[in-house]
Structures are given as structure tokens and as C-alpha cells.
Amino acid sequence: MRGPADRPAPAPPSASAALTWETFTEGLAQTLARLRGQEFLILEVVDGGYVQFAGDPEQLHAEAISLQYIEGAAALATDARLLAAVRSEMGELGWQLPTELPPELIPEGEPYEGSPNYTMQWTLPIAFKEAARCAVATLRRAYGAATPASLRYIAFANDPYPSPSFPELQIPRIYR
């Protein structure tokens, strides 16, 4: 359940409304270059779907949510044709397919290994522009983000590190 802390922080006046995909992608590449170890960035589509990044000194790790975890789309995940289309789209974008089923679908006593989400990693030298372009293509093509105005972000760090802020994204930040 969402509370007052989940409300988006107000964006600068008309910033996200006038924001183009090209400008957003550039800002995202800059943000990813600033993402440090123990820092995390989640880009959410307001209507569902997200891409998240974990900072690390030697690599950039990304995950994109699987269809079965998107609120309102879980029932669609049982449609084999739709699931195959989404998997194909994610594969074309370069994502590794999920290697783990959701816990409720794993037979009792089976090992619980892998990732339930789509994954991707970039190693040194990290291609931040490529990572940004891939994330934007995923948000648009797989999750239906029409404009950057349909996005918001969450940023946090593991204790004891301070929570980062990324104003160059020019989209609302939400706090959880």
C-alpha cells in the first residue's frame, strides 16, 4: 500500500512535459556514469514496468521486471502467446531471459536459483550511453512509456551511504 512518502516529488515546472526521449537518454547516461557502488536507480513507468540499475566500480548491473510481476499484468503472464512476444522483444533488446520462476510457481523442494527478472550487465569500460539507450528502448517498447513524462524514479543506497539524487533525469522522484 502506498502512503504519503510514495508521492512523487514535484518536477520542475514543465520540465518533464517538454522533455524529449533524446534529452532524457543523455541525462540517463550521465546519471549512470555517476552511479556508485551501493547505489541503486529504478526507472518506473507510471502504468507499470521498470528498469533498475545497481552501481558497482567494475560493472553496471541492470534488471527489467518480468511480466508476471507487473500489477494488473499478472493474469496476462499466463497467456503463452503474449509471454512469448514479450520474451522475444526483450531478447531483441539484449536482455538475458529470467532464469527463475516466481516462488509460487516453483515446485516444493526445487532449488531457488537465478533471477526472476530480465538481466543485463556492462563491464569495464562501461558503455553508459549504450546502457541508457537500452533502458529507454525497454521502457518504450516493452513497457509502453509514451513520453519521459510517464516516468518517475527511485534512488537509494545501502546503509550507511547517503541516498543519491539525480536531477539530470528531469523526471519526478518518488520516495519509499
Side-chain angles (χ1 to χ4, degrees), residues 67-80 82-83:
L67 185 62
Q68 67 259 22
Y69 294 109
I70 298 175
E71 191 173 324
L76 300 176
T78 61
D79 180 330
L82 178 63
L83 194 53

Side-chain angles (χ1 to χ4, degrees), residues 93-116:
L93 290 167
W95 292 96
Q96 296 297 311
L97 297 178
T99 56
E100 176 184 291
L101 293 172
E104 63 273 11
L105 298 179
I106 295 175
E108 193 171 326
E110 292 292 319
Y112 191 76
E113 297 178 13
S115 174

Side-chain angles (χ1 to χ4, degrees), residues 15-121:
S16 59
L19 186 61
T20 65
W21 281 116
E22 182 178 340
T23 302
F24 176 77
T25 304
E26 290 171 15
L28 178 56
Q30 293 169 10
T31 297
L32 296 176
R34 289 195 319 113
L35 197 64
R36 291 183 263 183
Q38 306 299 319
E39 291 182 344
F40 302 88
L41 170 66
I42 302 172
L43 301 170
E44 283 189 341
V45 178
V46 174
D47 294 332
Y50 68 78
V51 174
Q52 64 185 5
F53 294 93
D56 181 288
E58 296 184 15
Q59 69 178 355
L60 180 66
H61 178 79
E63 288 191 8
I65 190 170
S66 294
L67 185 62
Q68 67 259 22
Y69 294 109
I70 298 175
E71 191 173 324
L76 300 176
T78 61
D79 180 330
R81 286 177 292 165
L82 178 63
L83 194 53
V86 170
R87 285 178 165 261
S88 175
E89 183 75 25
M90 295 300 279
E92 287 176 21
L93 290 167
W95 292 96
Q96 296 297 311
L97 297 178
T99 56
E100 176 184 291
L101 293 172
E104 63 273 11
L105 298 179
I106 295 175
E108 193 171 326
E110 292 292 319
Y112 191 76
E113 297 178 13
S115 174
N117 291 325
Y118 296 91
T119 60
M120 193 176 297
Q121 291 187 9

